[in-house]
Amino acid sequence: MKKHTCAFRVLYADVDRMGVMHHSQYIKYFEYARTEMLRDCGITYKSLEEKGIIMPVTRLGIKYVKPAFYDDLLTVQTLVREMKGPRVCFEYRIYNDTGQLLTIAETILVFIDAKTQRPCPPPGYLLQVLQD
């Protein structure tokens, strides 16, 4: 299955008084990593929506192993772990610049037909690029 890596720096707005990245902020970086993975495959959420497909998150699980701090340079490794029917499972691992594992997470998204609001199969072109 498809793997992707991207980096980001922890913003001051994302940390608490102790300089630790707040647990709620990780979610936007998972979204960022997933979006960039699709973009690198030549697909954007916008293009999917224009074709009548939406992809809501139906499940999110996070294991915080070690904290991230303000101004840390972090790397997110994203992996398409499983595609089954209308569901796709993404796994994320966040590492700091010394290679320490900080966070493990997964999201499950479902392909939905925007008109019917019912699950639908993923487009063939998307299956192809994510399974490479």
Coordinates of all heavy atoms in Angstrom, one line a residue, residues 12-104:
Y12 N 3.8 27.9 17.7 CA 3.6 28.3 19.0 C 2.1 28.3 19.4 O 1.8 27.9 20.5 CB 4.1 29.8 19.2 CG 4.0 30.3 20.6 CD1 5.0 29.9 21.5 CD2 3.1 31.2 21.0 CE1 4.9 30.4 22.8 CE2 3.0 31.7 22.3 CZ 4.0 31.3 23.2 OH 3.9 31.7 24.5
A13 N 1.3 28.5 18.4 CA -0.2 28.4 18.7 C -0.7 27.0 19.0 O -1.8 26.9 19.5 CB -0.9 29.0 17.4
D14 N 0.1 26.0 18.8 CA -0.3 24.6 19.0 C 0.2 24.1 20.3 O -0.1 22.9 20.6 CB 0.3 23.7 17.9 CG -0.3 24.0 16.5 OD1 -1.4 24.6 16.5 OD2 0.3 23.6 15.5
V15 N 0.9 24.9 21.1 CA 1.4 24.3 22.4 C 0.7 24.9 23.6 O 0.0 26.0 23.5 CB 2.9 24.6 22.5 CG1 3.7 23.9 21.4 CG2 3.3 26.1 22.6
D16 N 0.8 24.2 24.7 CA 0.2 24.7 26.0 C 1.2 25.6 26.7 O 2.3 25.9 26.2 CB -0.3 23.5 26.8 CG 0.8 22.5 27.2 OD1 2.0 22.9 27.1 OD2 0.4 21.4 27.5
R17 N 0.9 25.9 27.9 CA 1.8 26.8 28.7 C 3.2 26.1 29.0 O 4.2 26.8 29.3 CB 1.2 27.1 30.1 CG 0.1 28.1 30.0 CD -0.5 28.4 31.3 NE 0.5 29.1 32.1 CZ 0.3 29.5 33.4 NH1 -0.9 29.2 33.9 NH2 1.2 30.0 34.1
M18 N 3.3 24.8 28.9 CA 4.5 24.1 29.2 C 5.4 23.9 27.9 O 6.4 23.4 27.9 CB 4.2 22.7 29.8 CG 3.5 22.8 31.1 SD 2.9 21.2 31.7 CE 1.5 21.0 30.6
G19 N 4.8 24.5 26.8 CA 5.5 24.3 25.5 C 5.4 23.0 24.8 O 6.0 22.7 23.8
V20 N 4.4 22.2 25.3 CA 4.1 20.9 24.8 C 3.0 21.0 23.8 O 2.0 21.7 24.0 CB 3.7 19.9 25.9 CG1 3.3 18.6 25.3 CG2 4.9 19.7 26.9
M21 N 3.1 20.3 22.6 CA 2.0 20.4 21.6 C 0.8 19.8 22.3 O 0.8 18.7 22.8 CB 2.4 19.6 20.4 CG 1.5 19.8 19.2 SD 2.2 19.4 17.6 CE 1.3 17.9 17.2
H22 N -0.3 20.5 22.2 CA -1.6 20.1 22.8 C -2.1 18.9 22.0 O -2.1 18.9 20.8 CB -2.6 21.3 22.8 CG -3.8 21.0 23.6 ND1 -4.9 20.4 23.1 CD2 -4.0 21.3 24.9 CE1 -5.8 20.4 24.1 NE2 -5.3 20.9 25.2
H23 N -2.7 18.0 22.8 CA -3.2 16.7 22.2 C -4.2 17.0 21.0 O -4.2 16.2 20.0 CB -3.8 15.8 23.2 CG -5.0 16.3 23.8 ND1 -5.0 17.2 24.9 CD2 -6.3 16.1 23.5 CE1 -6.3 17.5 25.2 NE2 -7.1 16.9 24.4
S24 N -5.0 18.0 21.1 CA -6.0 18.3 20.1 C -5.4 18.7 18.7 O -6.0 18.6 17.7 CB -7.0 19.3 20.6 OG -6.3 20.6 20.8
Q25 N -4.2 19.2 18.8 CA -3.5 19.8 17.6 C -3.0 18.7 16.6 O -2.8 19.0 15.4 CB -2.4 20.7 17.9 CG -2.9 21.9 18.7 CD -4.0 22.7 18.0 OE1 -3.8 23.0 16.8 NE2 -5.0 23.0 18.7
Y26 N -2.8 17.5 17.1 CA -2.3 16.4 16.3 C -3.2 16.1 15.1 O -2.8 15.8 14.0 CB -2.1 15.2 17.1 CG -0.9 15.2 18.0 CD1 -0.9 15.9 19.2 CD2 0.3 14.6 17.6 CE1 0.2 16.0 20.0 CE2 1.4 14.7 18.5 CZ 1.4 15.4 19.7 OH 2.4 15.5 20.5
I27 N -4.5 16.3 15.3 CA -5.5 15.9 14.3 C -5.3 16.7 13.0 O -5.4 16.1 11.9 CB -6.9 16.0 14.9 CG1 -7.1 15.1 16.1 CG2 -8.0 15.8 13.8 CD1 -8.3 15.3 16.9
K28 N -5.0 18.0 13.1 CA -4.9 18.7 11.9 C -3.6 18.3 11.1 O -3.6 18.4 9.9 CB -4.9 20.2 12.2 CG -3.7 20.8 12.9 CD -3.8 22.3 13.1 CE -2.7 22.8 13.9 NZ -2.9 24.3 14.2
Y29 N -2.6 17.8 11.8 CA -1.4 17.4 11.1 C -1.6 16.0 10.4 O -1.0 15.7 9.4 CB -0.2 17.4 12.1 CG 0.2 18.8 12.5 CD1 0.0 19.2 13.8 CD2 0.7 19.7 11.5 CE1 0.3 20.5 14.1 CE2 1.0 21.0 11.9 CZ 0.8 21.4 13.2 OH 1.1 22.7 13.5
F30 N -2.5 15.2 11.0 CA -2.9 14.0 10.3 C -3.6 14.3 9.0 O -3.4 13.7 8.0 CB -3.7 13.1 11.2 CG -3.1 12.7 12.5 CD1 -3.8 12.5 13.6 CD2 -1.7 12.4 12.6 CE1 -3.2 12.2 14.8 CE2 -1.1 12.0 13.8 CZ -1.9 11.9 14.9
E31 N -4.5 15.3 9.1 CA -5.3 15.8 8.0 C -4.3 16.3 6.9 O -4.4 16.0 5.7 CB -6.3 16.8 8.4 CG -7.0 17.4 7.3 CD -8.2 16.6 6.8 OE1 -8.7 15.7 7.6 OE2 -8.8 16.9 5.7
Y32 N -3.4 17.1 7.4 CA -2.4 17.7 6.5 C -1.6 16.6 5.8 O -1.4 16.6 4.5 CB -1.4 18.6 7.3 CG -0.2 19.1 6.5 CD1 -0.3 20.0 5.5 CD2 1.0 18.5 6.8 CE1 0.8 20.4 4.8 CE2 2.1 19.0 6.0 CZ 2.0 19.9 5.0 OH 3.1 20.3 4.3
A33 N -1.1 15.6 6.5 CA -0.3 14.5 5.9 C -1.2 13.7 4.9 O -0.7 13.4 3.8 CB 0.2 13.6 7.1
R34 N -2.4 13.4 5.3 CA -3.3 12.6 4.4 C -3.6 13.4 3.1 O -3.5 12.9 2.0 CB -4.6 12.3 5.1 CG -5.5 11.4 4.3 CD -6.7 10.9 5.2 NE -7.5 12.0 5.6 CZ -7.7 12.5 6.8 NH1 -7.0 12.0 7.8 NH2 -8.5 13.5 7.0
T35 N -3.8 14.7 3.2 CA -4.1 15.6 2.1 C -2.9 15.7 1.2 O -3.0 15.6 -0.1 CB -4.5 17.0 2.6 OG1 -5.7 16.9 3.4 CG2 -4.8 17.9 1.4
E36 N -1.7 15.8 1.8 CA -0.5 15.9 1.0 C -0.2 14.5 0.3 O 0.4 14.5 -0.8 CB 0.7 16.3 1.8 CG 0.6 17.8 2.2 CD 0.5 18.7 1.0 OE1 1.3 18.7 0.1 OE2 -0.5 19.5 1.0
M37 N -0.5 13.4 0.9 CA -0.3 12.1 0.3 C -1.1 12.0 -1.0 O -0.7 11.7 -2.0 CB -0.7 11.0 1.3 CG -0.7 9.6 0.6 SD -1.4 8.4 1.7 CE 0.0 7.5 2.1
L38 N -2.4 12.4 -0.8 CA -3.3 12.4 -2.0 C -2.8 13.4 -3.1 O -2.8 13.0 -4.3 CB -4.7 12.7 -1.6 CG -5.4 11.6 -0.8 CD1 -6.8 12.1 -0.3 CD2 -5.6 10.4 -1.5
R39 N -2.4 14.6 -2.7 CA -1.9 15.6 -3.6 C -0.7 15.0 -4.4 O -0.6 15.2 -5.6 CB -1.5 16.9 -2.9 CG -1.2 18.0 -3.8 CD -0.8 19.3 -3.0 NE -1.8 19.6 -2.0 CZ -2.9 20.2 -2.2 NH1 -3.3 20.5 -3.4 NH2 -3.7 20.5 -1.1
D40 N 0.2 14.4 -3.7 CA 1.4 13.8 -4.4 C 1.0 12.7 -5.4 O 1.8 12.3 -6.3 CB 2.4 13.2 -3.4 CG 3.2 14.4 -2.7 OD1 3.0 15.5 -3.1 OD2 3.9 14.0 -1.8
C41 N -0.2 12.1 -5.2 CA -0.7 11.1 -6.1 C -1.5 11.8 -7.3 O -2.1 11.1 -8.1 CB -1.7 10.1 -5.4 SG -0.8 9.1 -4.2
G42 N -1.6 13.1 -7.2 CA -2.4 13.8 -8.3 C -3.8 14.0 -8.0 O -4.6 14.3 -8.9
I43 N -4.2 13.8 -6.8 CA -5.6 13.8 -6.4 C -5.8 14.8 -5.2 O -5.0 14.8 -4.3 CB -6.1 12.4 -5.9 CG1 -6.0 11.4 -7.1 CG2 -7.6 12.5 -5.4 CD1 -6.1 10.0 -6.6
T44 N -6.8 15.7 -5.3 CA -7.1 16.6 -4.2 C -8.5 16.3 -3.7 O -9.4 15.7 -4.4 CB -7.0 18.0 -4.6 OG1 -8.1 18.3 -5.6 CG2 -5.7 18.4 -5.2
Y45 N -8.8 16.7 -2.4 CA -10.1 16.5 -1.9 C -11.1 17.4 -2.8 O -12.2 17.0 -3.0 CB -10.2 17.0 -0.5 CG -9.8 15.9 0.5 CD1 -8.7 16.1 1.3 CD2 -10.6 14.8 0.7 CE1 -8.3 15.1 2.3 CE2 -10.2 13.8 1.6 CZ -9.1 14.0 2.4 OH -8.8 13.0 3.3
K46 N -10.6 18.5 -3.2 CA -11.5 19.4 -4.0 C -11.9 18.7 -5.3 O -13.1 18.7 -5.7 CB -10.7 20.7 -4.4 CG -11.5 21.7 -5.1 CD -10.8 22.9 -5.4 CE -11.6 23.9 -6.1 NZ -11.0 25.2 -6.3
S47 N -11.0 18.0 -6.0 CA -11.3 17.2 -7.2 C -12.3 16.1 -6.9 O -13.2 15.8 -7.7 CB -10.1 16.7 -7.9 OG -9.5 15.7 -7.2
L48 N -12.1 15.4 -5.8 CA -13.1 14.4 -5.4 C -14.5 15.0 -5.2 O -15.5 14.4 -5.6 CB -12.6 13.6 -4.2 CG -11.4 12.7 -4.3 CD1 -10.9 12.2 -3.0 CD2 -11.8 11.5 -5.2
E49 N -14.5 16.1 -4.5 CA -15.8 16.7 -4.2 C -16.5 17.2 -5.5 O -17.7 17.1 -5.6 CB -15.6 17.9 -3.2 CG -15.3 17.4 -1.8 CD -15.0 18.5 -0.8 OE1 -14.9 19.6 -1.2 OE2 -14.7 18.1 0.4
E50 N -15.7 17.7 -6.4 CA -16.2 18.1 -7.7 C -16.8 16.9 -8.5 O -17.7 17.1 -9.3 CB -15.2 18.8 -8.5 CG -14.8 20.2 -8.0 CD -13.6 20.8 -8.7 OE1 -12.9 20.1 -9.4 OE2 -13.3 22.0 -8.4
K51 N -16.4 15.7 -8.2 CA -16.9 14.5 -8.8 C -18.0 13.9 -8.0 O -18.5 12.8 -8.3 CB -15.8 13.5 -9.1 CG -14.8 14.0 -10.1 CD -13.7 13.1 -10.3 CE -12.8 13.7 -11.4 NZ -11.5 13.2 -11.5
G52 N -18.4 14.5 -6.9 CA -19.5 14.1 -6.1 C -19.2 13.1 -5.0 O -20.0 12.4 -4.5
I53 N -17.9 13.0 -4.6 CA -17.5 12.1 -3.6 C -16.9 12.9 -2.4 O -16.1 13.8 -2.5 CB -16.3 11.2 -4.1 CG1 -16.9 10.3 -5.2 CG2 -15.8 10.3 -3.0 CD1 -15.8 9.6 -6.0
I54 N -17.4 12.5 -1.2 CA -16.9 13.1 0.0 C -16.3 12.0 0.9 O -16.7 10.8 0.7 CB -18.0 13.9 0.8 CG1 -19.2 13.1 1.1 CG2 -18.3 15.2 0.0 CD1 -20.3 13.8 1.9
M55 N -15.4 12.4 1.8 CA -14.7 11.3 2.6 C -14.7 11.7 4.1 O -13.6 12.2 4.6 CB -13.3 11.2 2.1 CG -13.2 10.6 0.7 SD -11.5 10.5 0.1 CE -10.7 9.4 1.3
P56 N -15.8 11.6 4.8 CA -15.7 11.9 6.2 C -14.9 10.9 7.0 O -14.8 9.7 6.7 CB -17.2 11.8 6.6 CG -17.8 10.9 5.6 CD -17.1 11.1 4.4
V57 N -14.3 11.4 8.1 CA -13.6 10.5 9.0 C -14.7 9.9 9.9 O -15.5 10.6 10.5 CB -12.6 11.4 9.9 CG1 -12.0 10.5 11.0 CG2 -11.5 12.0 9.0
T58 N -14.6 8.6 10.0 CA -15.6 7.9 10.9 C -14.9 7.3 12.1 O -15.6 6.9 13.1 CB -16.2 6.7 10.1 OG1 -15.3 5.8 9.7 CG2 -17.0 7.2 8.9
R59 N -13.6 7.3 12.2 CA -12.9 6.8 13.3 C -11.5 7.4 13.4 O -10.9 7.6 12.4 CB -12.8 5.3 13.3 CG -12.2 4.7 14.6 CD -12.1 3.2 14.6 NE -13.4 2.6 14.3 CZ -13.5 1.3 14.2 NH1 -12.5 0.5 14.2 NH2 -14.7 0.9 13.9
L60 N -11.1 7.7 14.7 CA -9.8 8.3 14.9 C -9.3 7.7 16.2 O -10.0 7.6 17.2 CB -9.9 9.8 15.1 CG -8.7 10.5 15.7 CD1 -7.6 10.5 14.7 CD2 -9.1 12.0 16.0
G61 N -8.1 7.2 16.1 CA -7.4 6.6 17.3 C -6.0 7.2 17.4 O -5.3 7.2 16.4
I62 N -5.6 7.6 18.6 CA -4.3 8.2 18.8 C -3.6 7.6 20.0 O -4.2 7.5 21.1 CB -4.3 9.7 19.0 CG1 -5.0 10.4 17.8 CG2 -2.9 10.3 19.1 CD1 -5.3 11.8 18.0
K63 N -2.3 7.2 19.9 CA -1.5 6.8 21.0 C -0.4 7.8 21.1 O 0.5 7.9 20.2 CB -1.0 5.4 20.8 CG -0.1 5.0 22.0 CD 0.4 3.5 21.9 CE 1.2 3.2 23.1 NZ 1.7 1.8 23.0
Y64 N -0.3 8.5 22.2 CA 0.7 9.5 22.4 C 1.9 8.8 23.2 O 1.7 8.3 24.3 CB 0.2 10.7 23.3 CG -0.9 11.4 22.6 CD1 -2.2 11.2 23.0 CD2 -0.7 12.3 21.6 CE1 -3.3 11.8 22.5 CE2 -1.8 13.0 21.0 CZ -3.1 12.7 21.5 OH -4.1 13.4 20.9
V65 N 3.0 8.7 22.5 CA 4.1 7.9 23.1 C 5.1 8.9 23.8 O 5.4 8.6 25.0 CB 4.9 7.2 22.0 CG1 6.1 6.5 22.5 CG2 4.0 6.3 21.2
K66 N 5.4 10.0 23.2 CA 6.3 11.0 23.8 C 5.8 12.4 23.3 O 5.2 12.5 22.3 CB 7.8 10.9 23.3 CG 8.4 9.6 23.8 CD 9.9 9.6 23.4 CE 10.5 8.3 23.9 NZ 11.7 8.5 24.6
P67 N 6.1 13.4 24.1 CA 5.6 14.8 23.7 C 6.4 15.4 22.6 O 7.6 15.1 22.4 CB 5.7 15.6 25.0 CG 6.8 14.9 25.8 CD 6.7 13.5 25.4
A68 N 5.7 16.3 21.9 CA 6.4 17.1 20.9 C 6.4 18.5 21.5 O 5.4 18.9 22.3 CB 5.6 17.2 19.6
F69 N 7.4 19.3 21.2 CA 7.5 20.6 21.8 C 7.5 21.7 20.8 O 7.8 21.5 19.6 CB 8.8 20.7 22.6 CG 8.8 19.7 23.8 CD1 9.4 18.5 23.6 CD2 8.2 20.0 25.0 CE1 9.4 17.5 24.6 CE2 8.3 19.1 26.0 CZ 8.8 17.9 25.9
Y70 N 7.3 23.0 21.2 CA 7.3 24.1 20.4 C 8.6 24.1 19.5 O 9.7 23.9 20.0 CB 7.2 25.4 21.2 CG 7.5 26.6 20.4 CD1 6.7 27.0 19.3 CD2 8.7 27.4 20.6 CE1 7.0 28.1 18.6 CE2 8.9 28.5 19.9 CZ 8.1 28.9 18.8 OH 8.4 30.0 18.1
D71 N 8.4 24.4 18.3 CA 9.5 24.5 17.3 C 10.2 23.2 16.9 O 11.1 23.2 16.1 CB 10.5 25.6 17.7 CG 11.2 26.3 16.5 OD1 10.5 26.5 15.5 OD2 12.4 26.5 16.6
D72 N 9.7 22.1 17.4 CA 10.3 20.8 17.0 C 10.0 20.6 15.5 O 8.9 21.0 15.0 CB 9.6 19.6 17.7 CG 10.2 19.4 19.1 OD1 11.2 20.1 19.5 OD2 9.7 18.5 19.8
L73 N 10.9 20.1 14.8 CA 10.7 19.7 13.4 C 10.2 18.2 13.4 O 11.0 17.3 13.8 CB 11.9 19.8 12.5 CG 11.8 19.5 11.1 CD1 10.7 20.3 10.4 CD2 13.1 19.6 10.3
L74 N 9.0 18.0 13.0 CA 8.4 16.6 13.0 C 8.2 16.1 11.6 O 7.9 16.8 10.7 CB 7.1 16.6 13.8 CG 7.1 17.2 15.2 CD1 5.8 17.2 15.9 CD2 8.2 16.5 16.1
T75 N 8.3 14.8 11.6 CA 8.0 14.1 10.3 C 6.8 13.1 10.5 O 6.7 12.4 11.5 CB 9.2 13.2 9.9 OG1 10.3 14.1 9.7 CG2 8.9 12.5 8.6
V76 N 5.8 13.2 9.6 CA 4.7 12.3 9.6 C 4.8 11.3 8.5 O 4.9 11.7 7.4 CB 3.4 13.1 9.4 CG1 2.2 12.1 9.6 CG2 3.2 14.3 10.4
Q77 N 4.8 10.0 8.9 CA 4.8 9.0 7.9 C 3.3 8.5 7.8 O 2.7 8.1 8.8 CB 5.7 7.8 8.3 CG 7.2 8.2 8.2 CD 8.0 7.0 8.6 OE1 7.6 5.9 9.0 NE2 9.3 7.2 8.4
T78 N 2.8 8.5 6.6 CA 1.4 8.1 6.4 C 1.4 6.9 5.5 O 2.1 6.8 4.6 CB 0.6 9.3 5.7 OG1 0.8 10.5 6.5 CG2 -0.8 8.9 5.6
L79 N 0.6 5.9 5.9 CA 0.5 4.7 5.2 C -1.0 4.3 5.0 O -1.8 4.5 5.9 CB 1.1 3.6 6.0 CG 0.9 2.1 5.6 CD1 1.6 1.8 4.3 CD2 1.3 1.2 6.8
V80 N -1.3 4.0 3.8 CA -2.7 3.4 3.6 C -2.6 2.0 4.0 O -1.9 1.1 3.4 CB -3.1 3.5 2.1 CG1 -4.4 2.8 1.9 CG2 -3.1 4.9 1.6
R81 N -3.2 1.7 5.2 CA -3.0 0.4 5.8 C -4.0 -0.6 5.2 O -3.7 -1.8 5.0 CB -3.2 0.4 7.3 CG -2.8 -0.9 7.9 CD -2.7 -0.8 9.4 NE -4.1 -0.7 9.9 CZ -4.4 -0.2 11.1 NH1 -3.5 0.4 11.8 NH2 -5.6 -0.2 11.5
E82 N -5.2 -0.2 4.9 CA -6.2 -1.1 4.3 C -7.3 -0.3 3.6 O -7.7 0.8 3.9 CB -6.9 -1.8 5.5 CG -7.9 -2.8 5.1 CD -8.6 -3.5 6.3 OE1 -8.9 -2.9 7.3 OE2 -8.8 -4.7 6.2
M83 N -7.7 -0.9 2.5 CA -8.9 -0.4 1.7 C -9.8 -1.6 1.6 O -9.5 -2.6 1.0 CB -8.4 0.1 0.4 CG -7.6 1.3 0.5 SD -7.2 2.1 -1.1 CE -8.8 2.9 -1.5
K84 N -11.0 -1.4 2.1 CA -12.0 -2.5 2.1 C -13.4 -1.9 1.9 O -13.9 -1.1 2.7 CB -12.0 -3.2 3.5 CG -12.8 -4.5 3.5 CD -12.6 -5.2 4.8 CE -13.4 -6.5 4.8 NZ -13.2 -7.2 6.1
G85 N -13.9 -2.3 0.7 CA -15.2 -1.7 0.4 C -15.1 -0.2 0.3 O -14.2 0.3 -0.3
P86 N -16.1 0.5 0.9 CA -16.0 2.0 0.9 C -15.1 2.6 1.9 O -15.0 3.8 2.0 CB -17.5 2.4 1.1 CG -18.0 1.3 2.0 CD -17.3 0.0 1.5
R87 N -14.4 1.8 2.7 CA -13.5 2.3 3.8 C -12.1 2.3 3.4 O -11.6 1.4 2.7 CB -13.7 1.5 5.0 CG -15.0 1.6 5.7 CD -15.1 0.9 7.0 NE -16.4 0.7 7.4 CZ -17.1 -0.4 7.3 NH1 -16.6 -1.5 6.8 NH2 -18.4 -0.4 7.7
V88 N -11.4 3.3 3.9 CA -9.9 3.3 3.8 C -9.3 3.7 5.1 O -9.8 4.6 5.8 CB -9.5 4.3 2.7 CG1 -9.9 5.7 2.9 CG2 -8.0 4.3 2.5
C89 N -8.3 2.9 5.5 CA -7.7 3.2 6.8 C -6.3 3.7 6.6 O -5.5 3.1 5.9 CB -7.6 1.9 7.6 SG -6.8 2.0 9.2
F90 N -6.0 4.9 7.2 CA -4.7 5.5 7.1 C -4.0 5.4 8.5 O -4.7 5.6 9.5 CB -4.8 7.0 6.8 CG -5.3 7.3 5.4 CD1 -6.7 7.5 5.2 CD2 -4.4 7.5 4.4 CE1 -7.1 7.8 3.9 CE2 -4.9 7.8 3.1 CZ -6.2 7.9 2.9
E91 N -2.8 5.0 8.5 CA -2.0 5.0 9.7 C -0.9 6.1 9.6 O -0.4 6.4 8.6 CB -1.3 3.6 9.8 CG -0.5 3.5 11.1 CD 0.2 2.1 11.1 OE1 -0.6 1.1 11.2 OE2 1.4 2.0 11.1
Y92 N -0.7 6.7 10.8 CA 0.3 7.8 10.9 C 1.3 7.5 12.0 O 0.9 7.0 13.1 CB -0.4 9.1 11.3 CG -1.7 9.4 10.4 CD1 -2.9 8.9 10.9 CD2 -1.6 10.1 9.3 CE1 -4.0 9.1 10.1 CE2 -2.8 10.4 8.5 CZ -4.0 9.8 9.0 OH -5.1 10.1 8.2
R93 N 2.5 7.9 11.8 CA 3.5 7.8 12.8 C 4.3 9.1 12.7 O 4.7 9.6 11.7 CB 4.5 6.7 12.5 CG 3.8 5.3 12.7 CD 4.7 4.1 12.5 NE 4.0 2.9 12.7 CZ 4.0 2.2 13.9 NH1 4.7 2.6 14.9 NH2 3.3 1.1 13.9
I94 N 4.4 9.8 13.9 CA 5.1 11.1 14.0 C 6.4 10.8 14.7 O 6.4 10.3 15.8 CB 4.2 12.1 14.7 CG1 3.0 12.4 13.9 CG2 5.1 13.4 14.9 CD1 2.1 13.5 14.5
Y95 N 7.5 11.3 14.1 CA 8.8 11.2 14.6 C 9.4 12.6 14.8 O 9.1 13.5 14.0 CB 9.7 10.5 13.7 CG 9.3 9.0 13.5 CD1 8.4 8.7 12.4 CD2 9.8 8.0 14.3 CE1 8.0 7.4 12.2 CE2 9.4 6.7 14.0 CZ 8.5 6.4 13.0 OH 8.2 5.1 12.8
N96 N 10.3 12.8 15.8 CA 11.0 14.1 15.9 C 12.2 14.0 15.1 O 12.5 13.0 14.5 CB 11.2 14.4 17.4 CG 12.2 13.5 18.1 OD1 12.9 12.7 17.5 ND2 12.2 13.5 19.4
D97 N 13.0 15.1 15.1 CA 14.2 15.2 14.2 C 15.3 14.3 14.7 O 16.3 14.1 13.9 CB 14.6 16.6 14.0 CG 15.0 17.3 15.3 OD1 14.9 16.7 16.4 OD2 15.5 18.4 15.3
T98 N 15.2 13.6 15.8 CA 16.2 12.7 16.2 C 15.7 11.2 15.9 O 16.4 10.3 16.3 CB 16.6 12.8 17.7 OG1 15.4 12.5 18.5 CG2 17.1 14.2 18.0
G99 N 14.6 11.1 15.3 CA 14.0 9.8 14.9 C 13.2 9.1 16.0 O 12.8 8.0 15.8
Q100 N 13.0 9.8 17.1 CA 12.1 9.2 18.2 C 10.7 9.2 17.8 O 10.1 10.2 17.3 CB 12.2 9.9 19.5 CG 13.6 9.8 20.2 CD 13.6 10.6 21.5 OE1 13.2 11.8 21.5 NE2 14.0 9.9 22.5
L101 N 10.0 8.0 18.0 CA 8.6 7.9 17.7 C 7.8 8.6 18.8 O 8.0 8.4 20.0 CB 8.2 6.4 17.7 CG 6.7 6.1 17.5 CD1 6.2 6.6 16.1 CD2 6.4 4.7 17.7
L102 N 7.0 9.6 18.4 CA 6.2 10.4 19.3 C 4.7 10.0 19.4 O 4.1 10.0 20.4 CB 6.3 11.9 18.9 CG 7.7 12.5 18.8 CD1 7.5 14.0 18.5 CD2 8.5 12.2 20.1
T103 N 4.2 9.6 18.2 CA 2.7 9.4 18.1 C 2.4 8.3 17.1 O 3.1 8.3 16.0 CB 2.0 10.7 17.8 OG1 2.4 11.7 18.6 CG2 0.5 10.5 17.9
I104 N 1.5 7.5 17.4 CA 0.9 6.5 16.4 C -0.6 6.8 16.4 O -1.2 6.9 17.4 CB 1.2 5.1 16.9 CG1 2.6 4.8 17.1 CG2 0.5 4.1 15.9 CD1 2.9 3.5 17.8

